Amino acid sequence: MRKQIVAFGEVMMRLQVPGYELLTQANTLQYSFSGTGVNVASAMTKLGHDGYLVTRLPDNPLGDAAISSLQRLGISRNFITRGGKYLGMYFLENGFGQRTSRVTYSNRLESSFNTASLSDYDIEVIAENTDIIHFCGITLAMADNVRESMKVLAKKVKEKGGIVCFDCNYRPSLWEGGYNKAKSHYEEMLAMSDIVMMNEKDAIYILGMEAVSTSREEQLRELIPKVAKTFNIHSIAGTHRSINSDNTHSLRGYMYKDQTFYFSENNSFSVYDRIGAGDAYTSGILHGELAGFLPEKTVRFAAAAGMLACTIVGDTPMSTENEILSAMAGEMEDIKR
Amino acid sequence: MRKQIVAFGEVMMRLQVPGYELLTQANTLQYSFSGTGVNVASAMTKLGHDGYLVTRLPDNPLGDAAISSLQRLGISRNFITRGGKYLGMYFLENGFGQRTSRVTYSNRLESSFNTASLSDYDIEVIAENTDIIHFCGITLAMADNVRESMKVLAKKVKEKGGIVCFDCNYRPSLWEGGYNKAKSHYEEMLAMSDIVMMNEKDAIYILGMEAVSTSREEQLRELIPKVAKTFNIHSIAGTHRSINSDNTHSLRGYMYKDQTFYFSENNSFSVYDRIGAGDAYTSGILHGELAGFLPEKTVRFAAAAGMLACTIVGDTPMSTENEILSAMAGEMEDIKR
Amino acid sequence: MRKQIVAFGEVMMRLQVPGYELLTQANTLQYSFSGTGVNVASAMTKLGHDGYLVTRLPDNPLGDAAISSLQRLGISRNFITRGGKYLGMYFLENGFGQRTSRVTYSNRLESSFNTASLSDYDIEVIAENTDIIHFCGITLAMADNVRESMKVLAKKVKEKGGIVCFDCNYRPSLWEGGYNKAKSHYEEMLAMSDIVMMNEKDAIYILGMEAVSTSREEQLRELIPKVAKTFNIHSIAGTHRSINSDNTHSLRGYMYKDQTFYFSENNSFSVYDRIGAGDAYTSGILHGELAGFLPEKTVRFAAAAGMLACTIVGDTPMSTENEILSAMAGEMEDIKR
Amino acid sequence: MRKQIVAFGEVMMRLQVPGYELLTQANTLQYSFSGTGVNVASAMTKLGHDGYLVTRLPDNPLGDAAISSLQRLGISRNFITRGGKYLGMYFLENGFGQRTSRVTYSNRLESSFNTASLSDYDIEVIAENTDIIHFCGITLAMADNVRESMKVLAKKVKEKGGIVCFDCNYRPSLWEGGYNKAKSHYEEMLAMSDIVMMNEKDAIYILGMEAVSTSREEQLRELIPKVAKTFNIHSIAGTHRSINSDNTHSLRGYMYKDQTFYFSENNSFSVYDRIGAGDAYTSGILHGELAGFLPEKTVRFAAAAGMLACTIVGDTPMSTENEILSAMAGEMEDIKR
Amino acid sequence: MRKQIVAFGEVMMRLQVPGYELLTQANTLQYSFSGTGVNVASAMTKLGHDGYLVTRLPDNPLGDAAISSLQRLGISRNFITRGGKYLGMYFLENGFGQRTSRVTYSNRLESSFNTASLSDYDIEVIAENTDIIHFCGITLAMADNVRESMKVLAKKVKEKGGIVCFDCNYRPSLWEGGYNKAKSHYEEMLAMSDIVMMNEKDAIYILGMEAVSTSREEQLRELIPKVAKTFNIHSIAGTHRSINSDNTHSLRGYMYKDQTFYFSENNSFSVYDRIGAGDAYTSGILHGELAGFLPEKTVRFAAAAGMLACTIVGDTPMSTENEILSAMAGEMEDIKR
Amino acid sequence: MRKQIVAFGEVMMRLQVPGYELLTQANTLQYSFSGTGVNVASAMTKLGHDGYLVTRLPDNPLGDAAISSLQRLGISRNFITRGGKYLGMYFLENGFGQRTSRVTYSNRLESSFNTASLSDYDIEVIAENTDIIHFCGITLAMADNVRESMKVLAKKVKEKGGIVCFDCNYRPSLWEGGYNKAKSHYEEMLAMSDIVMMNEKDAIYILGMEAVSTSREEQLRELIPKVAKTFNIHSIAGTHRSINSDNTHSLRGYMYKDQTFYFSENNSFSVYDRIGAGDAYTSGILHGELAGFLPEKTVRFAAAAGMLACTIVGDTPMSTENEILSAMAGEMEDIKR
């Protein structure tokens, strides 16, 4: 049952001010290494699979530290290439209450990953050994060489019988040409994908679809089946999230599969670190599909995984299947001894 | 009015991951030394009494550190014996929101305390100098040698006119034979006790009593008087606790004395560290009894002590009588200058 | 538009136990340097002005550290005098939930500031270069030499055309003679002031005024116009604050100007560190007046500044105009990238 | 050239007081996971090989943390078994100058590793995939079940053509029966070994050999050839170490191979953390042999590896081949940019 | 053999910048509580005696923290009085190499101890229960009320048969009138003392004696016998210390007793924290005298205690008799397991 | 006597692993902001002058933090421009003994400073207000736009009567074209300079001069007068540094002025953090020249400043004139109280 889960993506160094100070107040940072691919690959190892990352890291102490960190998370170093000179970084200042968290990026366009080309990766070997491969829309925004590697890798994995998962995740600040420039690249990826993470907003903004209905759920029910049909996608899943006035968050997951929608409850919960919750949700969907859960269980499992990820320090989900099942069952123990 | 309060029990080293990281994520631990006996003896020093602990600690740097720590809490080293080789330990990972706190134990059965025998303690001297002695059901679970020391010490103190307090605290994982094995030991201790900490669940599960009623309060009112009568116990006290959906906790204390039940309000409050709250409640009851509070005041005082213990870092209660009375009065100042 | 904002006041060393431990539990302290004058001068630099502090600091490593810290906050060292021997200090233990925060002071009466006399400051130069000068009632409580410097400085600034702002802030423990002793000093300051921070309680207790009405708002509406008229004050502003049962705080700001009252909404919000919120409110009022905001905007801006200051580590406000305007608009982003 | 290096041994949790405080003074600990096997397997990954550990860890958060830590060091989790209940631990208090470092152990005899039996390991699979396997005399001291696993594993690897490396490391406090009890077990291991780490003291004390000569080097030259001959050992290597009066350490390495002795210089150097230096030396010998270095280079390489390990935080060596070669060449750069 | 050792003296809060930063660079402090009396009383508990401190502490959280800290060191709270308002403090910035450590004091003259009068102490009870009482010349510098308490206490203890120990320690900055003012007070204390800590410089500067010889040792041999005779002192002891060019320190102890001089070797050693080394030396002398060591052993024991104190974090010595004997024997183990 | 000292240069964020761990071992970093210009401007403020930095910083939280940090060091923000997107960074891993410190850079070529052009700075205003301006050869290596700003600024300051100081500091890795490309730029700067920091190696490698003599001192005496003459430089100064086998460093300073060489002693000393020692030396020369010290005093003052900078945490010198004079006098106090 242990599957080979491969993610393609950039490793970012996260440099976080501890506690609630600002960068102008503090003098220490906590660092870790993450990214959507890291999060998904690592989360899948916690769920019992073997996680791999296809990426490029500089051959210097920062690259060494990144690899040590990925290995600590259980990710294999086997598909990681060394080369280039820099590592993308982001600084995180935690918000509190009405004060929003802030992220400041270094110049990630010059990172080893974003300057790597197709020939830096051993595509054939990777494709031979992949059960599921995961891609993210943020990676798609980077550069032509990155997009080329991404598409070729998706194509090869599909040819070899692997499952392609694509998370539409769109970050406006990264696309100079905006939705117009992004659209065709997204469509290319969708056409090769078996499992897609998105919601109605992605359909409207990225794919330029129009909705008759107005509520989010109605728009979802209207547009997602069209996307699935157009691109011949096996399963589409995603979440609706909101921040409540008492600083708790709410999350409701959905999955569309075999022409049917499945929804989780709309859970409300306290949040310690919300970065990476979407990746935990994705991992829950992938694991549910691999494990043969019923769709209604898969979507609830994924939602619980997303909720637990918000209670974990750092970007990267750390919960096991048992822990997620227990949270899904709503069990709230005092202390687990 | 200053009384000699003696507790018999194991000192555990608590090794806590700071903040909200898991053991797999962090690389530092905060350590302290605690245990039910430590907590009660220390809490009583804060309430103006002299606290002693009857225990055995290894004659090595860990044992030295434990003694320094107990002294810092105000506990006298006079009844502490050195010998044996190990100290019991537990690792604590703090939960957050829907993620439960986790405790992982080292092998405490080989600890200096759990391998000590009666002759390791100077029972006569201890019994001569005790106003109240406190025992805990967790200690009762350990080993025959420990049980023997416990019972002989209880008997001696009672003979010398001291008050015996027994906290029924039952931890299932520690009793290989389960309730069946535990029952007679509990009965023996109850028969020697003047003040007992328990609630209706202890009566049902440990003592095997049956209740006609179904709500927790009705069962309490039905069973506790029977227990008091059967074992000729002067005062029985305890709490009902629950975790609310907003992560606050609720605590309602009761005391049964002179054939009457007394209840505190059902307080709800934010919790920083809930370990040791029960011991704070016990200390509140003991102090109320020693200080001659009216029972209705004693139970409210104990409930406030338990609540404040949940706002204190670490297992061990730190509040003074004035602080507890102020919390009991519901005063909520902005900042105390 | 950049104005010269000068504050006269003592610099205190704040020594805070990290997290939620007590002084009896911890072994480290975080230190910073603050005070009402520091807070206002620094907050105004964040709002785009030049901040100065008129104070005296010892010529030793503690004084050096204080100056470094003030400079870090953007405050100029140009009006700071060196001399005397000591620095006032306070120790802060953070409360949690029902447990109140505690402040313990060192002997601040012997501080360099409180032993300085008029001749220690270059009053003429300061007065020449001041657009607004800020004074605080806490300073007024200190000693005759301090009061003399304060009054002479206020007078000189007024003569040179600067605006005098006085915050009535009264701390009972600092006035040996109580309100009787304080009254005339307050009246003297009010008579020289253009902008005053106070509310109805100050009018009743310090100025000895009597109110017919009973609710706080009615008393405010009854008394503040009288104060404004008596002392010929251009603008009077202040807040009503309360602590809610869920540990959030509520704050409603008001400003009385041109015979009209303006009120902000009564905001409720989570609080990280409430010390300094009043100074943030003051700064909001001063900036609104300098920037020519409409009074209804000024009071809402000041209330939002006060709210944000409660989400910031330390005494000293750190928010920019944009951040305050955004909070005022009630925008609550997920993460700001 | 990348070889499969397997070590058999216990993982210990190292709990170190930061800086130079004693356990009675501090309240935090830094933790890591180490052991001779861990150190050798990890050091070999830094030298370009694949490192594996054959061990058993408890299936609880401590075991999870140990695995994460091993993975961070580059060690594969593939030969690690889960089971048993406890993890061996040791507490380390750093000495300073004339004050010696102190180590306090928990009860490691009940650890998952020391209670594991042969059937807990998949001996056949391990033996098939091993180029070099490393054993340590400390493991030999533990228990009959451990000794059985150790010997069977050595035998199987040898049968499959792997190289057996045995480090004689003898810790007196662990052998209840002393040298008498240990001797036959050591002889059994030596008879199966190709590469052995020892010096003349091991020959005298463990093997009961007698030396005519008196200086350490003469004894080495007298006894080691006899050991090699008796047990038919391909290479024997080891070190002579001493502490100098200025707190620097000196280390001289030797290797005996093909009836010839090779010695490194006697290096003197500052020491940050000397635990693990012997394992670094072992790794240097193994790598030199695998890489086909001349013996005179191998022994100098190993000595430089041992020296560098003393400049590294923690038990586990972290240096690459290039770093060791550079230190071996005596290059001392100012800062490496 | 366990004796009651009482010290009279002020408790100071030590606020130390961690590592080697200056107060202008750092933002955290480590705090502890010390003072000559604290150091001697605590050191004697480590040597197997019961340590008491006669002092006064404020009844606030700082005073509570001081008491917790003293208890942690093993000192009894029984002779500690609460009252007054402040605690003396000093800030410590660690030097490095050619950069000297710096100490900055708060205003200790207003501390609870320095404002206490004779009636604040229960002199009779203390005198009844004292085997040795320790006084320090620094205390003598403080104020008339302090000097009165000191002299009366010395007199009472002497009357009850206790031994009076006086450490001449003179700090120039504390005596406004200089040696002239100090002389008579020192003479009064010397006349009541049995054991005195001093060297030839104290004789020359404080007592105004003149020496014919020029080298330190000759002056010592010339003057100390005169002091002993004049004031009828049983034993006089002290040290000669120097800082070597390689940052090591050298210390040579002496004791004059029964008209004979005894000297230790002149030890050189690395220093972690030199504050408190003199108090460790004093404790070594006191313990040697109590334990009936030969004088030549006592002086070597005290010198080793002083040396070890320099390897310990903080002001307060932590070494046991065994540890000191081992250091005295010059044993230098690698690691103590 | 207070002069306006201006430095032109990049602000780098220094991200340092605390203690002696590697980036692969740690998870926290200490950050500060430095650079040659920062160091010189800050050091001059400690020596009693007003320090300014001409630089460009991004208008984001990292830029804000840099400004706060510069202000903390006493540097005025008045000549700092905001714009561009990134801040140069470097990661520092501390070496220990034989293990060298390592520096890893981010891509500084895209920093706000290195992408700024002449029009980003208000050259006229700066030139009007400058007594001394400092430039560094590292800046010269960056980009054409930077070089243009640098040269124009030097020219303007010289025109307005300011003194131009140029530090030849050459970093090979930053010059793609090597010495050939650098030479003409250096010559242009030298021709505008009044005070130059360099030694004989710079003359040989950068300026392509040839030396007849072979020892460093002889080469210095041969070449530096030629440089001074060729470029009409008022004073040239520099250092010879070496690392000794016991890890101490040695530094000997020289200054050539009025056709005469002046040398300091060759000091040996322990080093805590050697980065920035050269900038401290430069500041010592500048201050000596401004203060009218005799040249022989100036060079000894500068050497002492360089030595003290090696005992200070971080890149930036922190010593005052008095502290440097005291170190220069070789005074070594025990503790400064």
Side-chain angles (χ1 to χ4, degrees), chain C residues 135-147:
Chain C
F135 298 98
C136 174
I138 293 177
T139 311
L140 205 55
M142 287 301 155
D144 282 337
N145 49 314
V146 178
R147 281 187 282 266

PDB file of all heavy atoms in Angstrom, chain C residues 135-147:
ATOM      1  N   PHE C 135       3.275  66.328  27.630  1.00  0.00           N
ATOM      2  CA  PHE C 135       3.546  66.102  29.054  1.00  0.00           C
ATOM      3  C   PHE C 135       2.542  65.090  29.606  1.00  0.00           C
ATOM      4  O   PHE C 135       1.461  64.934  29.074  1.00  0.00           O
ATOM      5  CB  PHE C 135       3.395  67.409  29.843  1.00  0.00           C
ATOM      6  CG  PHE C 135       4.336  68.483  29.437  1.00  0.00           C
ATOM      7  CD1 PHE C 135       3.928  69.489  28.555  1.00  0.00           C
ATOM      8  CD2 PHE C 135       5.633  68.518  29.935  1.00  0.00           C
ATOM      9  CE1 PHE C 135       4.792  70.495  28.183  1.00  0.00           C
ATOM     10  CE2 PHE C 135       6.505  69.534  29.563  1.00  0.00           C
ATOM     11  CZ  PHE C 135       6.093  70.521  28.684  1.00  0.00           C
ATOM     12  N   CYS C 136       2.921  64.468  30.726  1.00  0.00           N
ATOM     13  CA  CYS C 136       2.049  63.440  31.296  1.00  0.00           C
ATOM     14  C   CYS C 136       1.881  63.650  32.792  1.00  0.00           C
ATOM     15  O   CYS C 136       2.827  64.039  33.491  1.00  0.00           O
ATOM     16  CB  CYS C 136       2.680  62.070  31.025  1.00  0.00           C
ATOM     17  SG  CYS C 136       1.791  60.732  31.812  1.00  0.00           S
ATOM     18  N   GLY C 137       0.698  63.395  33.289  1.00  0.00           N
ATOM     19  CA  GLY C 137       0.409  63.583  34.706  1.00  0.00           C
ATOM     20  C   GLY C 137       1.267  62.733  35.619  1.00  0.00           C
ATOM     21  O   GLY C 137       1.509  63.088  36.772  1.00  0.00           O
ATOM     22  N   ILE C 138       1.742  61.605  35.120  1.00  0.00           N
ATOM     23  CA  ILE C 138       2.596  60.769  35.952  1.00  0.00           C
ATOM     24  C   ILE C 138       3.883  61.527  36.298  1.00  0.00           C
ATOM     25  O   ILE C 138       4.348  61.491  37.432  1.00  0.00           O
ATOM     26  CB  ILE C 138       2.908  59.436  35.241  1.00  0.00           C
ATOM     27  CG1 ILE C 138       1.617  58.619  35.119  1.00  0.00           C
ATOM     28  CG2 ILE C 138       3.969  58.656  36.005  1.00  0.00           C
ATOM     29  CD1 ILE C 138       1.763  57.325  34.374  1.00  0.00           C
ATOM     30  N   THR C 139       4.420  62.235  35.329  1.00  0.00           N
ATOM     31  CA  THR C 139       5.614  63.044  35.583  1.00  0.00           C
ATOM     32  C   THR C 139       5.347  64.094  36.654  1.00  0.00           C
ATOM     33  O   THR C 139       6.194  64.380  37.506  1.00  0.00           O
ATOM     34  CB  THR C 139       6.054  63.746  34.279  1.00  0.00           C
ATOM     35  OG1 THR C 139       6.105  62.801  33.228  1.00  0.00           O
ATOM     36  CG2 THR C 139       7.414  64.400  34.440  1.00  0.00           C
ATOM     37  N   LEU C 140       4.159  64.645  36.593  1.00  0.00           N
ATOM     38  CA  LEU C 140       3.776  65.709  37.526  1.00  0.00           C
ATOM     39  C   LEU C 140       3.825  65.232  38.981  1.00  0.00           C
ATOM     40  O   LEU C 140       3.953  66.033  39.908  1.00  0.00           O
ATOM     41  CB  LEU C 140       2.349  66.171  37.156  1.00  0.00           C
ATOM     42  CG  LEU C 140       1.897  67.573  37.527  1.00  0.00           C
ATOM     43  CD1 LEU C 140       2.846  68.626  36.994  1.00  0.00           C
ATOM     44  CD2 LEU C 140       0.489  67.812  36.997  1.00  0.00           C
ATOM     45  N   ALA C 141       3.738  63.918  39.160  1.00  0.00           N
ATOM     46  CA  ALA C 141       3.676  63.364  40.518  1.00  0.00           C
ATOM     47  C   ALA C 141       5.029  63.260  41.185  1.00  0.00           C
ATOM     48  O   ALA C 141       5.119  62.967  42.375  1.00  0.00           O
ATOM     49  CB  ALA C 141       3.027  61.971  40.458  1.00  0.00           C
ATOM     50  N   MET C 142       6.100  63.481  40.428  1.00  0.00           N
ATOM     51  CA  MET C 142       7.394  63.022  40.894  1.00  0.00           C
ATOM     52  C   MET C 142       8.030  63.845  42.009  1.00  0.00           C
ATOM     53  O   MET C 142       8.226  63.381  43.103  1.00  0.00           O
ATOM     54  CB  MET C 142       8.348  62.921  39.694  1.00  0.00           C
ATOM     55  CG  MET C 142       8.004  61.730  38.801  1.00  0.00           C
ATOM     56  SD  MET C 142       8.082  60.172  39.771  1.00  0.00           S
ATOM     57  CE  MET C 142       6.970  59.132  38.848  1.00  0.00           C
ATOM     58  N   ALA C 143       8.380  65.074  41.726  1.00  0.00           N
ATOM     59  CA  ALA C 143       9.136  65.861  42.701  1.00  0.00           C
ATOM     60  C   ALA C 143       9.088  67.314  42.278  1.00  0.00           C
ATOM     61  O   ALA C 143       8.791  67.635  41.115  1.00  0.00           O
ATOM     62  CB  ALA C 143      10.595  65.387  42.748  1.00  0.00           C
ATOM     63  N   ASP C 144       9.381  68.215  43.187  1.00  0.00           N
ATOM     64  CA  ASP C 144       9.290  69.647  42.894  1.00  0.00           C
ATOM     65  C   ASP C 144      10.191  70.063  41.736  1.00  0.00           C
ATOM     66  O   ASP C 144       9.785  70.829  40.856  1.00  0.00           O
ATOM     67  CB  ASP C 144       9.646  70.458  44.146  1.00  0.00           C
ATOM     68  CG  ASP C 144       8.480  70.480  45.129  1.00  0.00           C
ATOM     69  OD1 ASP C 144       7.339  70.281  44.679  1.00  0.00           O
ATOM     70  OD2 ASP C 144       8.725  70.665  46.322  1.00  0.00           O
ATOM     71  N   ASN C 145      11.416  69.542  41.734  1.00  0.00           N
ATOM     72  CA  ASN C 145      12.332  69.913  40.659  1.00  0.00           C
ATOM     73  C   ASN C 145      11.786  69.473  39.292  1.00  0.00           C
ATOM     74  O   ASN C 145      11.899  70.189  38.299  1.00  0.00           O
ATOM     75  CB  ASN C 145      13.731  69.327  40.895  1.00  0.00           C
ATOM     76  CG  ASN C 145      13.689  67.848  41.228  1.00  0.00           C
ATOM     77  OD1 ASN C 145      12.864  67.418  42.055  1.00  0.00           O
ATOM     78  ND2 ASN C 145      14.532  67.042  40.594  1.00  0.00           N
ATOM     79  N   VAL C 146      11.165  68.311  39.260  1.00  0.00           N
ATOM     80  CA  VAL C 146      10.601  67.819  38.002  1.00  0.00           C
ATOM     81  C   VAL C 146       9.420  68.697  37.585  1.00  0.00           C
ATOM     82  O   VAL C 146       9.292  69.076  36.420  1.00  0.00           O
ATOM     83  CB  VAL C 146      10.164  66.340  38.128  1.00  0.00           C
ATOM     84  CG1 VAL C 146       9.530  65.863  36.832  1.00  0.00           C
ATOM     85  CG2 VAL C 146      11.352  65.472  38.514  1.00  0.00           C
ATOM     86  N   ARG C 147       8.565  68.991  38.556  1.00  0.00           N
ATOM     87  CA  ARG C 147       7.402  69.836  38.243  1.00  0.00           C
ATOM     88  C   ARG C 147       7.842  71.208  37.738  1.00  0.00           C
ATOM     89  O   ARG C 147       7.247  71.753  36.814  1.00  0.00           O
ATOM     90  CB  ARG C 147       6.523  69.989  39.489  1.00  0.00           C
ATOM     91  CG  ARG C 147       5.637  68.793  39.740  1.00  0.00           C
ATOM     92  CD  ARG C 147       4.648  69.037  40.876  1.00  0.00           C
ATOM     93  NE  ARG C 147       5.282  68.919  42.184  1.00  0.00           N
ATOM     94  CZ  ARG C 147       5.297  67.808  42.920  1.00  0.00           C
ATOM     95  NH1 ARG C 147       4.700  66.698  42.472  1.00  0.00           N
ATOM     96  NH2 ARG C 147       5.899  67.781  44.085  1.00  0.00           N
TER      97      ARG C 147
END
